[in-house]
Amino acid sequence: MAIFAANWKMHLGPSEVRQFAQRFSAKVPPRPGQRLVFFPSAVSVEAATEAFAARTDIEIGCQDVHWEPKGAFTGATSVALAASAGARCVLIGHSERRHVFGESDEDTRRKVRAVLDGGLDPFLCVGEKLEQREAGETERVVVRQLEAACDGLSPAEAGRLVIAYEPVWAIGTGRNATPDDAAAVHRTIRSVLTARGGESVPILYGGSVNQKNVQALMARPEIDGVLVGGASLDPDGWAEVVTFGQAV
């Protein structure tokens, strides 16, 4: 089952989410085997949950959580708080969390553990920076990030992951890995997951995905879906990405 996931980052407040849901739902009706995931800002998680409540093919996630269940962590969201607002999954290790906010591999491991323990599903992001890619370090970086986040997981727990390969140099830049490039990294990720009992884990691609390139990406059997930022902010445009991607 292909997954089409939208990361809205720091956009779309509650009223905008409700308007988005109405227009998007009119353009992309429910269909068997469809899995659509939206990651709104934390302040819009509950609004998105309510707006899409009638759609069993749609799930809402949280863009980030803290690994502690509660405490004096101003500005942070716990797994339990995310779940109470309607979130069913959580983005972990997005490149902006790693490289803008300075989160470490150990931070991602703690968050994966907390999300699994809290009954939600982790969407784990991995990917290399441009200088790492140019130095031929893509595989090393991606494997390191993946192994660190999966440390201590049982095969059953590893099977609950969704992985998103997002080359940092392609996020929001208009550049994207070619389908062949993405597929090669996905094969590496698959080999790591298979060794941990996660052979059926979906692996998504993210990085300047849009209406023009989604079909070429989804045509590759190694790519199980996409995680999209900018192109998911407009309901008409996101409906086209989903529709074009499903047509492969």
Side-chain angles (χ1 to χ4, degrees):
M1 180 189 302
I3 299 174
F4 293 85
N7 176 16
W8 286 343
K9 306 188 181 186
M10 205 164 67
H11 301 280
L12 304 184
S15 62
E16 294 169 306
V17 165
R18 287 187 281 267
Q19 294 170 11
F20 183 107
Q22 184 176 17
R23 188 166 182 86
F24 177 82
S25 293
K27 290 182 170 291
V28 182
R31 58 184 259 182
Q34 179 171 269
R35 187 180 180 189
L36 309 176
V37 186
F38 291 90
F39 292 96
S41 167
V43 300
S44 296
V45 169
E46 188 169 12
T49 299
E50 294 171 351
F52 287 114
R55 296 286 298 264
T56 58
D57 58 322
I58 291 177
E59 60 190 275
I60 306 302
C62 197
Q63 293 177 16
D64 183 47
V65 292
H66 198 285
W67 56 82
E68 293 290 348
K70 62 179 65 175
F73 302 102
T74 300
T77 301
S78 70
V79 175
L81 288 174
S84 69
R88 294 167 53 191
C89 50
V90 179
L91 277 182
I92 300 173
H94 189 279
S95 66
E96 291 157 10
R97 300 303 312 178
R98 294 179 188 269
H99 303 300
V100 177
F101 295 96
E103 294 188 1
S104 66
D105 288 344
E106 175 61 13
D107 292 335
T108 66
R109 185 197 66 77
R110 290 175 176 176
K111 290 181 178 184
V112 168
R113 179 78 271 158
V115 169
L116 289 169
D117 289 346
L120 304 186
D121 293 330
F123 276 56
L124 174 66
C125 302
V126 297
E128 81 283 9
K129 295 189 289 186
L130 180 60
E131 57 266 33
Q132 294 168 327
R133 180 178 184 82
E134 291 177 340
E137 297 177 347
T138 294
E139 182 173 321
R140 181 187 65 80
V141 171
V142 168
V143 170
R144 187 205 78 220
Q145 292 172 340
L146 186 58
E147 291 279 14
C150 292
D151 185 38
L153 299 187
S154 69
E157 290 170 333
R160 289 172 53 192
L161 294 169
V162 175
I163 306 299
Y165 168 55
E166 291 199 307
V168 180
W169 50 270
I171 298 174
T173 65
R175 300 175 61 184
N176 65 294
T178 68
D180 286 345
D181 290 338
V185 179
H186 281 223
R187 287 193 293 272
T188 296
I189 294 171
R190 177 67 64 201
S191 67
V192 175
L193 292 170
T194 298
R196 289 182 167 273
E199 57 275 1
S200 61
V201 166
I203 307 174
L204 316 182
Y205 173 75
S208 295
V209 177
N210 55 44
Q211 297 96 319
K212 296 179 180 179
N213 58 31
V214 66
Q215 287 190 323
L217 290 164
M218 291 299 297
R220 295 303 304 250
E222 297 92 344
I223 298 176
D224 301 314
V226 291
L227 174 63
V228 182
S232 72
L233 296 176
D234 172 69
D236 296 336
W238 183 232
E240 288 186 349
V241 172
V242 173
T243 301
F244 293 168
Q246 290 176 334
V248 176

